Amino acid sequence: MNKLLKEGWLFNLQSPSQNLHSLIKAGDLWARDYDDSSWKKVSVPFDWATSYPFSKENSSGTGYLPGGTGWYRCHFNSDDMKGKRVRVCFDGVYKHARVWCNGYFFGNHQNGFTSFEFDITESIKTDGTENVLAVRVSHEDIADCRWYTGSGIMRPVTLKITDDCHLTDDGVFFYSKDNKQIYVDTTVANDGYKNSAIEVTVTLTDKDGKTVYTRTQKGDLAAQEKAVYNFTSEIKDVHVWCPEDPYLYDLTVQVLADGKESDVYTTKAGIRDLRFDADKGFFCNGKSYKFKGLCVHEDAGCWGNAVPKDVWARRLKKLQDAGCNAIRMSHNPHSDELYQLCDEMGFFVMDEIYDEWQEPKNKWWQGHNVYPPSHQGITDDFISCYKEDCRSFVVRRRNHPCVVMYSIGNEIDYPNDPYCSPKFKEMTGNNDASKPAAERQYNPNHPDIGQIAGIAKMLSAQVKLWDTTRPVTMALAFPELSSDTGVTDALDVIGYNYKEQFYAEDHKRFSDKMFVGSENSHSIEAWHAVTDNEYIAGQFLWTGIDYLGEAHGWPIHGSYAGLLTLAGFEKPMYWFRKALWTEEKFCKIFTAVSEKDYWNRPWLANWNYAAGSKVDVRVYTNEKEVELFINGKSCGKADAVKKGYAEFTVDYEEGEITAKAAESGDVVVTTGAAVALKVNIVPGDEVQQLEVSVVDDLGNVVSNDSSLIKVEVEGAELFGLENGDLADVTEYSASYRHVYNGCLIAYVRGLKDSVAHVSFKCAGKAPAIVDVKL
């Protein structure tokens, strides 16, 4: 039985000004009888960083949000735990977690992105008194990453309650071959002090509840020992998993010890056959697919990295509507809820474990490429933790059919960061536009790039200890050098970041390996490098969604690289990508003032300009040609194939602008004054997402409006607001925020099946009041 520890938590952020005297006087925060009555009540997952203000004193690389040392304490009862074995399982704590239960210390875990567990049976109180779980989280080195990592218990915490004989944390591995043969490998541990007669039963059922496979194996298991029970069988009439029909079976593994149920495990299972062809690319169930992929980081504005499944579902649905069929988990394992959604919705996944190995990369803490950098990070723990990191990375995700390959590293070979070679006197990477010239020169004091081949082989071997059914890949940033080191010998699939110019040559050099664009620009040329070359399996754009961190300088606290804003609203490049990746015909109009600074202009679905202005118009479409009209008068036709959009320059005239193609069209009108608020509710299981727009008297969104919205909620909790403006440093705990491009999103959560009353108010506009069923 699993018991989710979501409520009952208290949190306290240790003051950075506390000296040794005050810390000792405060008492032992891990102790069972410590007085935590003044601590903040929270639900876990809970990322504490977004509860505090943005500050220029914090690191730009991690979004100008604080770290520190935080303490979590959970009070729980143990009515159902008498005579049971209890393990506490953490899906992810960032970072350097230390765990106590009822004052007993059980251990620590360094990596903030991998799961871990402790057996706390001996500490559990079963006399009717409460138990106290205490977790200390240390994230003092806030310039430890190139993007936002969050701080705290950012993923679920679960109590696994079993008898002494139970499945291990890596004790169930489901996989298939040729879409007919299934395999279920199980491992059972006997943590008791007597031998037991074991029965392990594996059952696979379809969505209608029909059993398609069930088998039982029996054996004797000695005390303090483990045993493996492997199952295999051919299944008839398999319903395969694929992007168009992501069919999932229910898998149950039951353990009986001496005739009594001792443990049970349930999960979803998908059956699919993968093939990686060096000349033909990627195949699923015999069908060729191009990865129309997007890289994503893990945060979502006010949620930090503790993002609910409902929030991810809204984002993924929009990305899927744009034609995306693949996600790269950049550059670390993500929350299990995201993999579940990818299973359910039919996304392929490139999973990834590291952004750096034993040598640190530059971390920008006062703006991008502003020297000196920080060199904090996971490298201190790499050598001592990589084996357990790899094990957790693989076994936690290998039952997800969406996962099709494992990446052991991102841009480890980035030039001069830190590796270099005397073969290149000067090296420039894809993100070095503002880097000083001296930093691009060969430096003999830097580690030589030749060592990465050995580490890659070491990591690849560790991954394959736990799963040989998927290929190992790596995202290479400077293959013109690193491909000569032998690093590709460790890889089954070769990934290149922004290096399309080497595809043809290196396909010949490594003719037995499939290539994929592991990270790519949004350009149409980068996509043509995929469509024009059968052997390229696809691309993963940087990025799918704007994210916190990797900021260029205050007050900008994130990256604008996404197709969606941090609030999950579509940006112009979203429609550009949809034009390249989808077949259902559409047109979408965006406009901007015609001026010399061509690239740094806001493109909006807007037709409000000063009389006589020159206006550039883009119509994103997957049709061949577009005709543009202003107030019914044709402005001419334009080709939409060469650039991926049709482009016009026109004189502004109040009224409406219309795009017409053979099978689709779009209209944008001159809006009136913003007079009201419009709310669209995106319902969810745990979180209700309220999309708020400022509109004119005809209900048209006023996309150039930036009004301040105040939110009041009765009967539930307003968790936070996000508008997508990465220059807006309003603290996330505030109940007000400006709209950005006329929109923002509010997140509301509360008791299931209750009703919340939510009001949105704005000076000079009619308020919007909605009842939201939770």
Side-chain angles (χ1 to χ4, degrees):
M1 178 179 71
N2 288 347
K3 181 175 182 179
L4 188 65
L5 290 182
K6 185 175 181 180
E7 305 300 335
W9 289 90
L10 300 166
F11 173 75
N12 180 62
L13 184 63
Q14 190 171 295
S15 171
S17 63
Q18 284 184 287
N19 55 31
L20 180 62
H21 175 77
S22 60
L23 286 173
I24 293 174
K25 189 176 180 181
D28 296 322
L29 280 65
W30 46 264
R32 181 169 178 264
D33 60 351
Y34 179 82
D35 182 8
D36 54 19
S37 58
S38 64
W39 288 20
K40 177 181 179 178
K41 292 182 179 181
V42 298
S43 296
V44 162
F46 173 69
D47 178 352
W48 80 64
T50 52
S51 300
Y52 295 88
F54 293 97
S55 171
K56 193 177 181 180
E57 301 305 310
N58 297 323
S59 169
S60 61
T62 50
Y64 293 111
L65 286 166
T69 294
W71 282 86
Y72 294 76
R73 289 169 58 89
C74 181
H75 297 250
F76 64 95
N77 64 57
S78 56
D79 297 341
D80 49 1
M81 299 179 199
K82 191 169 185 178
K84 297 291 186 179
R85 186 153 297 277
V86 182
R87 289 168 291 154
V88 60
C89 308
F90 296 86
D91 278 3
V93 181
Y94 200 90
K95 60 179 184 175
H96 292 171
R98 305 184 72 198
V99 179
W100 294 259
C101 187
N102 293 328
Y104 294 86
F105 178 66
F106 283 96
N108 54 56
H109 187 79
Q110 309 305 326
N111 193 310
F113 299 116
T114 54
S115 59
F116 60 99
E117 67 177 43
F118 298 112
D119 188 326
I120 59 173
T121 304
E122 300 305 321
S123 70
I124 293 293
K125 302 286 185 181
T126 57
D127 57 0
T129 58
E130 70 175 7
N131 294 268
V132 179
L133 183 68
V135 184
R136 180 185 188 271
V137 185
S138 178
H139 187 199
E140 298 288 348
D141 51 341
I142 58 173
D144 63 334
C145 194
R146 298 188 303 113
W147 63 91
Y148 179 80
T149 61
S151 296
I153 303 177
M154 299 181 302
R155 298 178 190 162
V157 180
T158 305
L159 294 179
K160 292 183 180 178
I161 305 167
T162 68
D163 288 343
D164 285 337
C165 295
H166 60 87
L167 294 158
T168 61
D169 70 327
D170 55 8
V172 178
F173 181 21
F174 176 92
Y175 54 103
S176 59
K177 184 178 181 181
D178 299 328
N179 282 341
K180 57 183 179 181
Q181 195 77 18
I182 66 164
Y183 301 84
V184 186
D185 297 344
T186 70
T187 303
V188 179
N190 183 351
D191 288 335
Y193 296 98
K194 67 173 186 176
N195 299 345
S196 292
I198 300 296
E199 295 181 28
V200 180
T201 300
V202 170
T203 304
L204 192 70
T205 57
D206 64 17
K207 285 186 176 180
D208 297 324
K210 179 184 175 182
T211 299
V212 298
Y213 170 78
T214 186
R215 293 288 187 278
T216 299
Q217 292 188 32
K218 300 179 180 181
D220 294 324
L221 184 55
Q224 302 298 305
E225 295 291 338
K226 296 179 181 179
V228 173
Y229 302 88
N230 293 337
F231 298 76
T232 185
S233 178
E234 184 173 317
I235 304 296
K236 295 181 179 179
D237 302 320
V238 168
H239 195 148
V240 298
W241 181 97
C242 65
E244 299 81 7
D245 181 14
Y247 189 89
L248 296 171
Y249 291 89
D250 289 302
L251 175 69
T252 302
V253 181
Q254 181 193 52
V255 178
L256 299 184
D258 300 320
K260 177 186 175 184
E261 183 176 278
S262 181
D263 193 8
V264 64
Y265 169 90
T266 60
T267 191
K268 296 293 183 181
I271 299 174
R272 80 286 185 272
D273 182 62
L274 306 178
R275 180 161 63 93
F276 301 82
D277 190 292
D279 294 318
K280 301 292 184 180
F282 172 71
F283 293 79
C284 180
N285 306 322
K287 179 181 177 180
S288 174
Y289 287 90
K290 293 288 191 182
F291 292 124
K292 299 174 179 178
L294 298 167
C295 303
V296 297
H297 277 313
E298 202 168 355
D299 63 278
C302 60
W303 297 99
N305 270 14
V307 185
K309 189 175 181 180
D310 291 327
V311 175
W312 271 117
R314 171 177 170 265
R315 295 165 135 205
L316 288 182
K317 178 62 169 64
K318 292 192 175 192
L319 297 179
Q320 194 170 57
D321 288 346
C324 174
N325 67 3
I327 298 293
R328 177 186 176 210
M329 303 295 185
S330 307
H331 302 293
N332 52 263
H334 285 35
S335 66
D336 197 59
E337 289 76 11
L338 181 51
Y339 298 83
Q340 292 171 17
L341 282 168
C342 289
D343 287 342
E344 296 163 8
M345 299 176 70
F347 287 92
F348 298 118
V349 167
M350 178 195 293
D351 212 0
E352 193 159 60
I353 183 169
Y354 288 125
D355 185 58
E356 58 187 357
W357 293 344
Q358 94 287 14
E359 301 292 347
K361 287 183 177 179
N362 293 335
K363 318 296 190 318
W364 306 113
W365 56 280
Q366 52 185 344
H368 188 68
N369 281 344
V370 178
Y371 282 77
S374 161
H375 289 119
Q376 299 172 342
I378 70 165
T379 55
D380 292 346
D381 305 311
F382 178 80
I383 295 299
S384 59
C385 297
Y386 78 89
K387 290 182 180 180
E388 176 54 29
D389 285 350
C390 288
R391 189 194 73 87
S392 175
F393 168 60
V394 176
V395 301
R396 191 70 177 90
R397 313 292 179 230
R398 65 186 179 181
N399 287 332
H400 288 284
C402 64
V403 177
V404 298
M405 55 183 145
Y406 299 119
S407 169
I408 56 174
N410 171 66
E411 297 189 344
I412 304 299
D413 61 332
Y414 196 90
N416 286 335
D417 190 11
Y419 299 101
C420 63
S421 169
K423 293 180 181 180
F424 280 74
K425 292 184 178 180
E426 180 176 317
M427 298 193 296
T428 301
N430 59 62
N431 211 10
D432 287 354
S434 58
K435 182 176 283 189
E439 298 297 331
R440 307 181 193 194
Q441 306 299 313
Y442 168 65
N443 186 338
N445 296 313
H446 282 197
D448 189 271
I449 198 168
Q451 69 173 280
I452 72 171
I455 301 173
K457 292 174 183 176
M458 178 181 75
L459 293 176
S460 180
Q462 287 298 317
V463 167
K464 290 182 178 182
L465 277 177
W466 304 103
D467 186 2
T468 59
T469 70
R470 297 171 172 91
V472 169
T473 188
M474 187 174 166
L476 300 175
F478 204 68
E480 51 265 57
L481 174 60
S482 56
S483 63
D484 290 333
T485 65
V487 69
T488 57
D489 293 344
L491 309 178
D492 306 300
V493 172
I494 299 175
Y496 279 2
N497 287 11
Y498 310 99
K499 296 292 183 177
E500 293 86 358
Q501 67 269 33
F502 295 113
Y503 283 167
E505 177 186 345
D506 287 0
H507 173 55
K508 296 176 183 177
R509 292 175 62 204
F510 307 106
S511 59
D512 61 335
K513 298 179 187 291
M514 191 187 82
F515 276 76
V516 66
S518 42
E519 190 170 311
N520 306 86
S521 75
H522 294 251
S523 72
I524 194 171
E525 292 80 13
W527 178 237
H528 286 165
V530 174
T531 59
D532 293 347
N533 295 289
E534 191 175 25
Y535 60 88
I536 301 299
Q539 65 172 191
F540 289 84
L541 301 184
W542 192 261
T543 61
I545 309 167
D546 289 353
Y547 56 94
L548 295 172
E550 203 165 10
H552 280 231
W554 183 266
I556 306 298
H557 52 275
S559 169
Y560 285 107
L563 301 182
L564 301 178
T565 68
L566 204 55
F569 293 117
E570 299 89 339
K571 297 162 68 174
M573 290 305 289
Y574 172 94
W575 301 99
F576 173 62
R577 190 53 42 179
K578 185 171 183 174
L580 298 180
W581 282 357
T582 66
E583 295 182 359
E584 184 176 350
K585 304 305 181 186
F586 77 96
C587 289
K588 187 69 176 179
I589 297 172
F590 286 89
T591 67
V593 174
S594 183
E595 56 186 34
K596 291 182 179 180
D597 190 6
Y598 184 83
W599 295 109
N600 297 314
R601 298 176 292 169
W603 290 85
L604 300 174
N606 171 56
W607 194 237
N608 288 64
Y609 293 95
S613 297
K614 286 285 186 184
V615 179
D616 289 339
V617 180
R618 285 185 183 176
V619 182
Y620 295 103
T621 182
N622 47 12
E623 302 223 41
K624 293 181 179 180
E625 187 179 64
V626 174
E627 186 171 7
L628 191 71
F629 298 85
I630 297 178
N631 297 325
K633 182 180 178 181
S634 177
C635 300
K637 298 180 179 181
D639 170 78
V641 175
K642 183 177 180 180
K643 293 184 176 180
Y645 54 85
E647 194 168 31
F648 305 84
T649 299
V650 299
D651 293 319
Y652 173 71
E653 181 182 317
E654 182 179 327
E656 68 175 30
I657 184 170
T658 304
K660 291 184 178 180
E663 300 179 46
S664 63
D666 191 27
V667 178
V668 176
V669 302
T670 302
T671 57
V675 297
L677 304 176
K678 180 181 178 181
V679 180
N680 175 54
I681 301 173
V682 181
D685 290 333
E686 293 189 29
V687 178
Q688 314 311 310
Q689 300 172 78
L690 283 64
E691 299 173 338
V692 184
S693 304
V694 179
V695 298
D696 66 9
D697 57 351
L698 296 177
N700 299 305
V701 176
V702 183
S703 60
N704 58 0
D705 189 90
S706 58
S707 297
L708 182 70
I709 307 292
K710 297 181 179 180
V711 186
E712 297 176 0
V713 178
E714 296 179 9
E717 174 194 12
L718 173 67
F719 186 85
L721 304 170
E722 178 58 71
N723 57 13
D725 181 2
L726 291 172
D728 184 348
V729 290
T730 304
E731 59 188 83
Y732 279 129
S733 59
S735 60
Y736 54 86
R737 207 168 191 87
H738 289 275
V739 294
Y740 181 59
N741 296 339
C743 300
L744 62 73
I745 191 165
Y747 300 105
V748 175
R749 66 180 183 181
L751 295 175
K752 191 73 172 175
D753 297 325
S754 62
V755 176
H757 303 281
V758 186
S759 62
F760 298 91
K761 298 178 181 179
C762 180
K765 300 173 182 63
I769 301 174
V770 295
D771 288 342
V772 181
K773 185 176 180 180
L774 304 173

